[in-house]
Amino acid sequence: MRDTPSADWDPRAPDVLGDQIKAYDGMRKRCPVAYSDYLQWSLFRHEDVMRALTDHETFSNTASRHLSIPNAMDPPEHTPYRRIVEKYFTEEHIREFEPICRANTASLFDDLPQDSEVEVMSALAQPFAVRNQCAFMGWPDSLREPLRQWIGKNHQATRAGDRQGMAKIALEFDGYISEQLIARREAGEAAPADATTRLLHEKVEGQWLSDEEIVSIIRNWTVGELGTIAASVGILIHYLAEHPELQEALRQGSEDLSDAIDEILRIHAPLISNRRVTTRPVTIGGREIPAGERLSLIWASANRDEAVFGDPDDFQPQRNRDKNLLYGAGLHVCPGAPLARLELQVLMETLLAKTRHIELAPDATSKRAQFPASGFASLPVRIQRS
């Protein structure tokens, strides 16, 4: 039995949770491969994260305690499930969804108060993420609020390391999805031709997907989509409010909007980390890590590594584009990236078209989100409508 290493840091310490980006910058310089009782091993450098992403024989994705398709799978098991998932994010499907996304987004902005203070996360970011996810999956409007509340409960249980609570929350989500599957089976040929219905007709190696497999696929889509999209909206609006010159350049079309979105989200990651497990002993960053150890790939640090990006806060979208890990890399690069890019592009286009100016609310203070979430828990801004 091996000796447990001494902890190099505490991911749940108040100073870490108070400003995760700053804390991870410090860890990248002080202890780039660090051990903690909570996360085991964490990788903070771009080089080390890329090594874990590309060497799937040493760094396995089977890091979940429950069925997680295809996120927690390795080849060859991963491959047929990945093919199924990718079919839902083709250029054709994204193009079909675009007018729905634009209508949802315009409606949200129309409901915002005129020329007054807005709390972005509750009034815009979370409703935007939930409304579009429900529309993409074909779910009823009645699921919006339960899903919004579910994300908060899931983050709270994860941060507390409450396995019993996490299991209970997972069952709650599974219940929502199972209801949708039952409704579609009962509807038969009258079932809506949406993504959820189509999953009922998918096969892997000649076998129909089980309900457990379908729920797992949808859980991965939903957790990733709702949390990271809402965080992205807050991060983007906060950045524009702090950088009025970029805000105006984007309105005038003198900066490429797609590149700007990716670069802002490189600077402040909407997703803090992903997990891996070592399959054999490995030395990384001068640390010897045994087989069977959990790893956290800290995107929020790797995408700010000075060795790759220079000053991590320097806004250089074209220069940094090819090294940006916003959507991951390797076999497990995010399959939903086309949908996320569409949603954020539409959100920003609508925001810039419907406003004259955005600034942080002068008499209010934003509150940063805490691990495992990123971005902001609250973000008061003042919006001047066009």
Side-chain angles (χ1 to χ4, degrees), residues 33-332:
V33 179
Y35 186 85
S36 68
D37 296 332
Y38 179 52
L39 295 178
Q40 289 196 356
W41 297 95
S42 296
L43 307 183
F44 292 92
R45 294 188 302 200
H46 192 281
E47 176 186 2
D48 296 335
V49 167
M50 280 298 298
R51 179 179 171 188
L53 291 175
T54 53
D55 182 1
H56 59 84
E57 293 182 355
T58 302
F59 303 96
S60 169
N61 246 55
T62 58
S64 178
R65 294 184 176 91
H66 56 77
L67 183 66
S68 181
I69 300 174
N71 301 35
M73 290 178 166
D74 295 321
E77 182 186 29
H78 165 268
T79 306
Y81 289 100
R82 173 76 186 209
R83 289 198 191 106
I84 288 175
V85 171
E86 287 176 341
K87 292 193 302 184
Y88 290 77
F89 301 101
T90 63
E91 185 176 329
E92 178 184 359
H93 284 119
I94 299 306
R95 187 168 56 248
E96 289 176 355
F97 182 65
E98 181 175 349
I100 300 171
C101 182
R102 290 193 179 277
N104 282 339
T105 308
S107 175
L108 280 170
F109 274 94
D110 290 343
D111 291 340
L112 293 179
Q114 294 281 342
D115 298 334
S116 64
E117 188 174 306
V118 173
E119 201 293 287
V120 167
M121 301 311 297
S122 60
L124 183 59
Q126 293 169 1
F128 173 82
V130 171
R131 186 176 295 193
N132 281 306
Q133 177 69 359
C134 285
F136 186 77
M137 297 304 299
W139 297 341
D141 295 349
S142 59
L143 261 184
R144 291 177 185 174
E145 183 58 20
L147 286 175
R148 189 190 68 79
Q149 293 186 19
W150 183 87
I151 289 294
K153 289 186 286 187
N154 188 50
H155 283 161
Q156 185 177 3
T158 302
R159 182 164 55 252
D162 180 1
R163 293 184 185 178
Q164 185 176 357
M166 291 166 67
K168 182 179 178 180
I169 291 164
L171 282 175
E172 178 185 337
F173 180 85
D174 293 358
Y176 296 143
I177 306 310
S178 294
E179 289 175 2
Q180 297 304 310
L181 300 182
I182 291 170
R184 282 159 176 76
R185 286 197 175 100
E186 291 178 346
E189 293 184 359
D194 55 33
T196 305
T197 300
R198 285 165 49 215
L199 279 168
L200 290 169
H201 302 285
E202 297 286 3
K203 290 183 177 181
V204 169
E205 297 178 350
Q207 298 294 318
W208 298 109
L209 289 178
S210 68
D211 279 13
E212 184 184 16
E213 291 172 322
I214 294 172
V215 169
S216 177
I217 290 170
I218 293 175
R219 186 194 304 116
N220 280 324
W221 287 358
T222 304
V223 175
E225 178 77 3
L226 294 182
T228 55
I229 290 295
S232 295
V233 172
I235 291 165
L236 290 166
I237 292 177
H238 179 268
Y239 195 90
L240 293 189
E242 285 204 321
H243 298 82
E245 70 290 344
L246 176 61
Q247 188 182 140
E248 188 56 29
L250 290 171
R251 277 199 183 86
Q252 299 301 323
S254 56
E255 284 277 357
D256 182 272
L257 182 56
S258 179
D259 279 350
I261 291 170
D262 284 3
E263 177 69 350
I264 293 168
L265 298 179
R266 178 198 65 78
I267 293 170
H268 187 163
L271 178 65
I272 293 296
S273 64
N274 279 136
R275 294 176 294 174
R276 296 292 188 274
V277 172
T278 54
T279 62
R280 53 195 176 197
V282 62
T283 301
I284 188 164
R287 307 294 295 269
E288 295 183 4
I289 302 177
E293 292 287 279
R294 287 189 299 133
L295 295 168
S296 290
L297 314 184
I298 309 294
W299 308 111
S301 172
N303 248 359
R304 293 174 54 84
D305 191 338
E306 295 84 354
V308 175
F309 302 105
D311 181 349
D313 292 309
D314 191 12
F315 181 83
Q316 294 289 341
Q318 285 75 38
R319 185 190 71 189
N320 296 330
R321 180 193 298 139
D322 293 341
K323 298 292 185 180
N324 192 340
L325 296 176
L326 175 60
Y327 294 104
L331 288 170
H332 296 280

